[in-house]
């Protein structure tokens, strides 16, 4: 009886050891899979951030090519234009625009005619264009509320509902559209309400466009 009891105990221990080993292997496998999945997510998020930063740098520096639409369509430098707005207080007037100089040349491609004196941009080639406006509005002291509007020709209008503020705060707004262009000259004009927008300033803003289809 003692010998049989010992054999039964050994069998139980063997089964327990087998179960423990199997559970350990499963746990290690799941841990490795979880780490791999977490690493993949981190890599995807990092890649997304890098792509976003690269795209913003392309817009600022007038790149050789720009891929922003489905199908990874490439737009050559001559089909791209970006103009920075001169910082100024908000009023009813035509915004003074200027191109951006860089090692690549200028932010206005050869497909466009830019008149700095008139602050106007004319696409030379008829076609469909992606047009956008980037606005950064700064409250420098005590600022009243109101609707601020920037129009880029008759193709795009961007409205910003400015709140009442009493400290140094930045309000950002981006607007875009896709429009057909053929011989139209574009100016950027800002409009404010009759009550005015005291202590609000336009800074680090601009307009841009690129050819989608001709």
């Amino acid at each position: 009886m003692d010998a049989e009891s010992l054999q039964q105990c050994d069998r139980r221990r063997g089964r327990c050891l087998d179960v423990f080993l199997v559970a350990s292997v499963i746990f290690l496998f799941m841990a490795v899979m979880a780490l791999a999945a977490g690493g993949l997510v981190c890599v995807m998020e990092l890649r997304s951030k890098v792509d976003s930063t690269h795209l913003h740098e392309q817009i600022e520096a007038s790149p050789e090519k720009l891929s922003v639409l489905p199908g990874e369509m490439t737009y050559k430098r001559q089909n791209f234009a970006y103009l920075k707005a001169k910082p100024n207080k908000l009023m009813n007037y035509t915004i003074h625009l200027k191109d951006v100089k860089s090692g690549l040349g200028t932010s206005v491609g050869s497909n466009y005619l830019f008149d700095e004196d008139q602050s106007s941009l004319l696409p030379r080639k008829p076609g469909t264009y992606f047009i956008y406006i980037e606005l950064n509005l700064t409250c420098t002291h005590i600022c009243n509320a109101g609707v601020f509007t920037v129009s880029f020709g008759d193709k795009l209008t961007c409205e910003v509902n400015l709140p009442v503020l009493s400290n140094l705060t930045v309000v950002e707004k981006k607007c875009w559209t896709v429009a057909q262009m053929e011989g139209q000259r574009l100016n950027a004009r800002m409009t404010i309400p009759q009550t005015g927008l005291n202590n609000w300033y336009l800074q680090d803003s601009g307009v841009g466009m690129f050819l989608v289809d001709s």
Side-chain angles (χ1 to χ4, degrees):
M1 292 297 293
D2 292 339
E4 292 179 357
S5 299
L6 289 174
Q7 290 177 0
Q8 291 177 0
C9 184
D10 289 340
R11 292 193 193 100
R12 293 194 189 98
R13 289 177 182 174
R15 293 193 189 98
C16 292
L17 182 60
D18 291 341
V19 171
F20 175 77
L21 289 175
V22 171
S24 299
V25 171
I26 293 175
F27 174 78
L28 289 175
F29 177 76
M30 293 179 66
V32 171
M33 292 297 294
L35 288 174
L40 180 60
V41 171
C42 291
V43 170
M44 292 179 65
E45 290 180 353
L46 181 60
R47 181 177 179 181
S48 177
K49 291 180 180 179
V50 170
D51 291 343
S52 177
T53 301
H54 182 59
L55 175 59
H56 183 73
E57 291 175 350
Q58 286 179 324
I59 291 176
E60 291 294 331
S62 183
E64 291 294 338
K65 60 183 179 179
L66 179 66
S67 300
V68 295
L69 294 180
E72 298 183 353
M73 298 173 66
T74 300
Y75 298 89
K76 294 184 179 180
R77 183 177 171 186
Q78 67 262 21
N79 293 328
F80 177 87
Y82 178 78
L83 299 170
K84 288 189 69 68
K86 180 180 178 181
N88 208 334
K89 62 181 181 179
L90 305 191
M91 62 180 68
N92 294 313
Y93 84 118
T94 299
I95 300 174
H96 178 68
L97 301 172
K98 61 179 181 179
D99 57 348
V100 180
K101 302 297 191 299
S102 69
L104 298 174
T106 176
S107 60
V108 178
S110 59
N111 183 43
Y112 302 87
L113 179 62
F114 174 54
D115 187 337
E116 187 171 359
D117 294 333
Q118 299 295 325
S119 291
S120 65
L121 184 66
L122 173 66
R124 300 175 186 270
K125 184 185 298 184
T128 303
Y129 288 79
F130 183 95
I131 305 171
Y132 62 94
I133 298 174
E134 295 180 328
L135 299 176
N136 287 274
L137 306 165
T138 303
C139 172
T140 58
H141 186 43
I142 299 176
C143 303
N144 59 317
V147 178
F148 172 70
T149 305
V150 171
S151 298
F152 196 32
D154 61 351
K155 300 301 181 181
L156 177 60
T157 299
C158 193
E159 289 189 354
V160 186
N161 290 304
L162 297 174
V164 177
L165 294 173
S166 59
N167 56 1
L168 186 61
T169 306
V170 177
V171 177
E172 299 180 350
K173 181 70 177 290
K174 296 182 180 180
C175 303
W176 61 272
T177 190
V178 176
Q180 189 71 23
M181 297 288 299
E182 185 173 1
Q184 294 105 328
R185 189 179 295 272
L186 301 175
N187 295 92
R189 182 170 178 80
M190 67 169 66
T191 306
I192 63 172
Q194 293 183 349
T195 54
L197 291 170
N198 299 326
N199 300 320
W200 284 103
Y201 284 82
L202 182 71
Q203 296 180 330
D204 298 324
S205 300
V207 297
M209 59 191 302
F210 54 84
L211 181 65
V212 176
D213 187 27
S214 59

